[in-house]
Amino acid sequence: MNCKSCNTEIDYHFLTNCAHCGCAVEPEGAPQHHPLPEVPLESLQKRLNWKRLLINVGYTLVSAIAFMITGAVGVWIGVGVVMKILIDFFDPVQTPGEYCGFGMAVGFLSLIGGGFLGTIAGSAVAIKRPLY
């Protein structure tokens, strides 16, 4: 910005008078400060309520545990049926205990994998749709 009387360049953010001629600086087109948006009181109270937070955290934990058990059992049954069909298809004549170790490993991995995926799904559902 320039001084109106002597045309000297002035940074009106820091000076109130022209350093060259001493005239008062009247800023033109000063930046307008916009007020902060007002937050409704209801949303502030809703965010600060610790009881709701505690209920939603409990709901998330219960949901994650329920989905973990459901996912583990569901994947275990599904993988068991598929593996039984595949083993019967590829090796129709089996001796007892031939696939015992393989079945234990597949069963264990399906329980762990299903539990993991169920925990993720349960947490996602509880966070996406909280009780409060």
Side-chain angles (χ1 to χ4, degrees):
M1 179 176 147
N2 294 335
C3 179
K4 291 184 178 180
S5 62
C6 66
N7 207 20
T8 304
E9 189 171 331
I10 301 171
D11 186 4
Y12 66 89
H13 292 288
F14 304 107
L15 299 174
T16 56
N17 292 333
C18 177
H20 186 54
C21 68
C23 286
V25 175
E26 296 176 15
E28 295 176 1
Q32 298 292 327
H33 296 287
H34 300 289
L36 294 174
E38 292 185 25
V39 177
L41 186 59
E42 297 85 24
S43 72
L44 184 62
Q45 288 174 345
K46 186 176 181 181
R47 281 188 281 152
L48 296 178
N49 194 346
W50 65 272
K51 290 178 185 177
R52 290 181 178 175
L53 175 69
L54 190 63
I55 288 171
N56 284 331
V57 167
Y59 171 63
T60 302
L61 290 174
V62 168
S63 176
I65 290 170
F67 273 73
M68 175 185 66
I69 293 169
T70 305
V73 171
V75 170
W76 179 66
I77 290 173
V79 168
V81 168
V82 169
M83 289 309 299
K84 178 68 175 157
I85 292 170
L86 288 176
I87 289 173
D88 286 344
F89 180 74
F90 287 113
D91 190 10
V93 179
Q94 301 159 14
T95 58
E98 185 177 355
Y99 290 101
C100 183
F102 179 70
M104 291 292 289
V106 169
F108 176 76
L109 290 176
S110 65
L111 283 174
I112 297 297
F116 177 70
L117 294 176
T119 303
I120 292 172
S123 300
V125 166
I127 290 172
K128 192 83 167 170
R129 299 174 190 265
L131 292 177
Y132 288 108

